[in-house]
Amino acid sequence: MRTHFCGLIDETLIGQTVTLCGWADVARNLGGVCFIDLRDHEGIVQVVAEPSEAAGNAGVVAAAEKVGYEDCLRITGTVRRRQSVNAKIRTGQVEVVAESIEVLNKAEPLPFHHHENPGEDTRLRYRYLDLRHPEMQRRMRTRTKLVSALRHWLDARGFQDIETPILTKATPEGARDFLVPARMHPGEFYALPQSPQLFKQILMMAGFDRYYQIARCFRDEALRADRQLEFTQLDMEFAWVSERDVQDTVEAMVRDVFREVVGVELAAEFPRMTYAEAMRRYGSDKPDLRIALELVDVAELVKDSGFKVFADAANAEGNRVAALRIPGGASLSRKQIDEYGAHAAKYGAKGLAYVKISETGEIASPIQKFFDEAAFSALLAHVGAGNGDLVFFGAGRYSTVSDFMGAVRLKAGKDFNLVEAGWRPLWVTDFPMFEWDEEAQRFVALHHPFTAPAVDDEADLRANAATAVSRGYDMVLNGNEIGGGSIRIHRSSMQSAVFDLLGIGKDEAELKFGFLLDALKYGAPPHGGIAFGIDRIAALMAGTDSIRDVIAFPKTTGAQCLMTGAPSPIPDAQLAEVHVQVRASE
């Protein structure tokens, strides 16, 4: 139907006749001369319908006068140089003089226009219209380039692309499984994979050595800007490797792919930081290094203060008192300071103490009265506070204080324009093996239950489970975890010990993971891997905060597809076929 794409018309085609297909992005009638900006997935070109003595030309102008926004058109015409150049578009040096205009499909009045900044629900309800927008086209093309570059890089280095099952066995990996009833096995269910984790480990035991897959994964969990029920990850696994072997390989891959896809040069060597250091300095295991602000521990300086909140936390094991100095923060009003307190409360804070120092050195603080002058001066000196600064303080359980002070740090960085330009990658290593679940009164795996501990001795692991360090690692970029992995357990006895520490008894382990425990008995090699979030990386490359902007048909935060109406009720007869009966919600 067409000879060329709209966005690829250039000066080499001047004088030639072309046939284009696309949508009317803009249609303007300037007193008998009509201009149509015709758009396809490659871009926009200006089409001109103007009066002349040519036979049938009056009909072309009449047809152009009737063109409306988003009409689907087929236009034939001659390329000529534009008198008024448009440097903002790739085709801005030329235009097409229309010889025929055919309306392939007339568009009804649209439910929204992009310049009106429609809400996200509207965009998702009419996703086919949203995806037509040039910015969405650019974002999706960036994603396509990313996946293509990853495949080419891995294929050239001997990795095998192997598909793993979508219908598999339900296993606990930290989130709820999506379950699929098995029609041929009444009362039994498949689960959609949260990741190909166990299958890729089995592949290493089967001798495939280097595996990868662009894998679809499913997790029935709460949604937000960087979470979806179904998502895509680059899954990788290596046999006969240490942590550094995996990290060096994938670091080179990420560096090359960023250069190819978006022309970005990442650091020649990514810095490394332990989990403990990241939490201590930044209150996060995925710190944004573009923000120079750091947390400072002050427990030793406040343990004898008259402020009970600080003193109690400073003198209790497993607690923390941390400070954050914000240069120029004294400009905040009391109302704005209270807004920071409300923000911290979302992350578990029961309160946010502060000291505000004016440009002239006057101090405003609700906690100053609890310190003598020398102790208060020593506290401010320790955190480096000076005139014009604001210092926030948090006290309580170490993990909770780290979480909410880390959130305050990020907010302050953005509010005070302290986020440096550029890209700051980082490896975070030496994660805790377990964390204690107070509600369940048991350990849970910080990464997943197949991550190897740093110690080789099972008795050592059992004796020091609370402080055990894993061989896990995450790649972080600008405050986003873009990849996470670990060296895996390759001995059956160690895997059984980890299951036991996680409260997974022998019978349950055999029921859920018997195939893995068996495979580990038959010469399983040391192995490890990593998985990268394709959606997150594509969003970063495309310059958007939400992964929904780089997924063609995402779900809302309410776990719905507004375009199709999913999820939806299923007729009783169809449910009966898979031996399922719906119970009314209470």
Side-chain angles (χ1 to χ4, degrees), residues 188-338:
E188 297 183 355
F189 295 82
Y190 300 103
L192 302 183
Q194 295 185 35
S195 81
Q197 181 62 45
L198 297 183
F199 287 106
K200 68 179 181 179
Q201 289 190 237
I202 296 291
L203 286 171
M204 296 304 100
M205 301 169 200
F208 285 96
D209 204 271
R210 284 189 163 197
Y211 142 96
Y212 86 93
Q213 182 182 184
I214 306 295
R216 294 291 284 172
C217 303
F218 308 85
R219 294 180 186 175
D220 189 2
E221 60 183 357
L223 304 189
R224 53 183 188 268
D226 63 346
R227 288 276 195 272
Q228 282 282 297
L229 299 179
E230 51 183 313
F231 56 95
T232 306
Q233 67 184 35
L234 167 62
D235 207 58
M236 302 173 67
E237 198 78 2
F238 310 65
W240 319 102
V241 290
S242 67
E243 293 92 325
R244 195 66 188 235
D245 295 324
V246 176
Q247 293 166 11
D248 288 348
T249 299
V250 299
E251 183 178 314
M253 177 189 72
V254 169
R255 192 181 296 109
D256 290 348
V257 166
F258 265 78
R259 182 185 302 115
E260 178 179 343
V261 177
V262 288
V264 166
E265 287 290 341
L266 297 179
E269 183 175 353
F270 295 0
R272 283 168 167 74
M273 183 181 298
T274 66
Y275 170 89
E277 182 182 358
M279 297 303 291
R280 177 176 58 80
R281 294 173 62 186
Y282 303 107
S284 172
D285 60 1
K286 50 181 180 180
D288 190 343
L289 299 186
R290 297 174 302 167
I291 301 172
L293 303 179
E294 294 192 23
L295 306 184
V296 178
D297 285 312
V298 296
E300 285 299 314
L301 285 83
V302 300
K303 65 182 182 179
D304 297 321
S305 74
F307 188 40
K308 191 173 186 302
V309 173
F310 281 8
D312 287 352
N315 287 289
E317 186 178 353
N319 282 8
R320 180 179 197 185
V321 184
L324 176 70
R325 180 182 74 90
I326 303 173
S331 61
L332 292 181
S333 66
R334 178 57 191 268
K335 180 182 177 182
Q336 290 171 316
I337 290 174
D338 289 343

